[in-house]
Amino acid sequence: MMKKLIAAAACVAFMSGTALSQTAPAPAENTVPLTVTNKELFKPAAGTPAAAQDAAALTKALEGQILASGFIGKPVYNGDGDNAETIGKLNDLVIGPDGMVQAAVIGVGGFLGVGEKDVAVAPNQLKLSTRSDGNSWLVLNTTKDQLSAAPAFERSANFTDGVADPMKTGATTAPAAPETPAK
């Protein structure tokens, strides 16, 4: 009995030391004060009345508006017929400083996300098809092979924490939206 008690106490002491060693180190003192810069993410369209910019005016959905969250991760099909095939999935949207979508990022290839590559396409090439029963899906009029052959869009190479990083891209202005691979 005494051996079990000593063994248990030794285990508790051993585990306590491990737990204490896992505490986060104290942050290094920074002698240079950090600065913060702010910029507007989305600017209202030119000529938008002030009332439309008021938060109270934005509590109701208007016809034609969509939530990006409702489409991110959804499959993209090569047509709107019953024989349409999945060619990828919507992984992201690139939004410009004017608040407009400049590219749709489609994940293509791979299996369960492994080996998948992102391809940026012009947003006007992506269509929303809605059937009379209310079901809707995304359509891009191209083939899976053409989409797979398109150049890869490297998010991590161009964006830091979701914001375009000019230090990585070397760009000073927003580029034109990429073209969709032709059929």
Side-chain angles (χ1 to χ4, degrees):
M1 177 75 165
M2 187 60 123
K3 287 182 181 180
K4 287 183 181 180
L5 183 60
I6 292 173
C11 284
V12 168
F14 178 73
M15 292 189 335
S16 303
T18 304
L20 290 175
S21 68
Q22 292 179 357
T23 58
E29 288 189 35
N30 190 358
T31 58
V32 178
L34 299 176
T35 60
V36 175
T37 58
N38 295 305
K39 79 175 196 178
E40 292 180 34
L41 283 180
F42 308 108
K43 297 178 183 165
T48 303
Q53 297 174 30
D54 183 19
L58 300 175
T59 59
K60 294 189 174 45
L62 301 175
E63 186 175 340
Q65 290 179 326
I66 65 167
L67 287 175
S69 61
F71 295 98
I72 302 295
K74 298 291 185 189
V76 177
Y77 295 88
N78 63 354
D80 57 7
D82 289 336
N83 61 346
E85 297 176 352
T86 304
I87 59 173
K89 70 176 182 167
L90 182 63
N91 283 342
D92 219 332
L93 298 172
V94 177
I95 301 172
D98 61 355
M100 301 298 293
V101 175
Q102 294 182 336
V105 180
I106 310 294
V108 64
F111 180 71
L112 298 175
V114 177
E116 178 180 84
K117 87 170 181 178
D118 286 332
V119 175
V121 299
N124 63 346
Q125 300 299 308
L126 196 62
K127 306 291 183 208
L128 177 65
S129 292
T130 306
R131 215 171 30 210
S132 59
D133 65 359
N135 286 332
S136 60
W137 61 97
L138 298 171
V139 174
L140 182 65
N141 288 320
T142 191
T143 67
K144 189 172 197 166
D145 290 339
Q146 290 168 330
L147 197 58
S148 295
F153 177 78
E154 301 293 339
R155 287 188 268 184
S156 62
N158 297 307
F159 293 86
T160 300
D161 294 328
V163 179
D165 187 345
M167 297 301 288
K168 288 184 176 183
T169 64
T172 56
T173 60
E179 291 298 317
T180 300
K183 257 187 158 179

